[in-house]
Amino acid sequence: MRIGQGYDVHKLAEGRDLILGGVKIPYETGLLGHSDADVLVHAVMDALLGAAALGDIGEHFPDTDPQYKGVSSIELLKRVGELLEERGYVIENIDATVIAQKPKLLTYRPEMARNIGQALKLPDGKVNIKATTEEGLGFTGKGEGISSQAIVLLTSMEDYCYDDRIMEEGCKGCCKGCGK
């Protein structure tokens, strides 16, 4: 099992859409960034990449690269999912929190979880999204920005293969499909 933790923060600015978890939320300001600045998805991506020891989103999708200007973070999340799949990782669960004084996010959370789950080809119940305020404290509490934290649990396909690296005598035929 591998655990990853992610964090992201973006400043609120006029003239930008507020996108969280791939959901466009009606609000007077949006998050400033090179892409759509979806702090929730960015935190999830960093948690996934960290759990797999694959660096961070800045390495994979640098903000100096024009191809990522204004890109949907959900599209970038799909690529992270492909990287994990290529390396034999299975996402067991994702738990994330958005920290914002305003707007209230309760009604958007199910759609955010669905968007993230669909981007990663996960069944329902694998993604949990929460939202909280900071009671008027700090930059998020003063409405200057929004941050997000995420934690994920990955397993590797190797974790499911009981061979001589794990058990001295191998799996002894415990798996019908493995042929051992």
Side-chain angles (χ1 to χ4, degrees):
M1 291 187 290
R2 292 169 160 259
I3 298 170
Q5 177 267 336
Y7 173 80
D8 195 38
V9 60
H10 283 273
K11 185 179 194 175
L12 284 163
E14 292 184 16
R16 296 277 300 192
D17 290 332
L18 179 58
I19 310 290
L20 294 171
V23 178
K24 184 176 176 181
I25 298 169
Y27 195 58
E28 65 258 13
T29 57
L31 294 168
L32 187 60
H34 187 68
S35 66
D36 64 6
D38 187 331
V39 293
L40 172 57
V41 173
H42 292 184
V44 168
M45 287 191 294
D46 263 345
L48 291 167
L49 290 167
L54 294 174
D56 62 29
I57 60 173
E59 288 177 54
H60 294 272
F61 315 109
D63 64 5
T64 55
D65 191 330
Q67 74 175 314
Y68 302 121
K69 178 82 172 145
V71 71
S72 164
S73 295
I74 289 290
E75 292 305 312
L76 301 179
L77 180 62
K78 289 177 184 177
R79 179 63 188 129
V80 169
E82 291 166 3
L83 289 171
L84 296 175
E85 193 174 312
E86 290 166 7
R87 288 161 176 80
Y89 289 109
V90 175
I91 301 168
E92 295 295 340
N93 76 303
I94 298 169
D95 187 30
T97 305
V98 178
I99 301 107
Q101 197 65 35
K102 290 182 182 176
K104 295 293 183 194
L105 301 174
L106 179 66
T107 59
Y108 302 103
R109 289 178 13 218
E111 187 178 357
M112 292 175 191
R114 239 184 339 272
N115 289 345
I116 291 168
Q118 287 173 351
L120 296 168
K121 303 175 191 168
L122 299 175
D124 291 344
K126 295 274 188 165
V127 179
N128 185 60
I129 307 298
K130 303 179 300 288
T132 191
T133 69
E134 290 198 298
E135 305 295 330
L137 300 173
F139 71 91
T140 56
K142 293 176 185 164
E144 297 170 3
I146 294 177
S147 65
S148 185
Q149 299 177 8
I151 189 163
V152 303
L153 176 65
L154 299 182
T155 53
S156 170
M157 290 308 293
E158 291 175 356
D159 294 339
Y160 295 106
C161 297
Y162 295 98
D163 61 12
D164 59 359
R165 291 174 293 166
I166 298 169
M167 298 171 61
E168 191 172 310
E169 41 308 310
C171 85
K172 292 186 173 183
C174 61
C175 304
K176 292 182 174 131
C178 76
K180 291 186 181 182

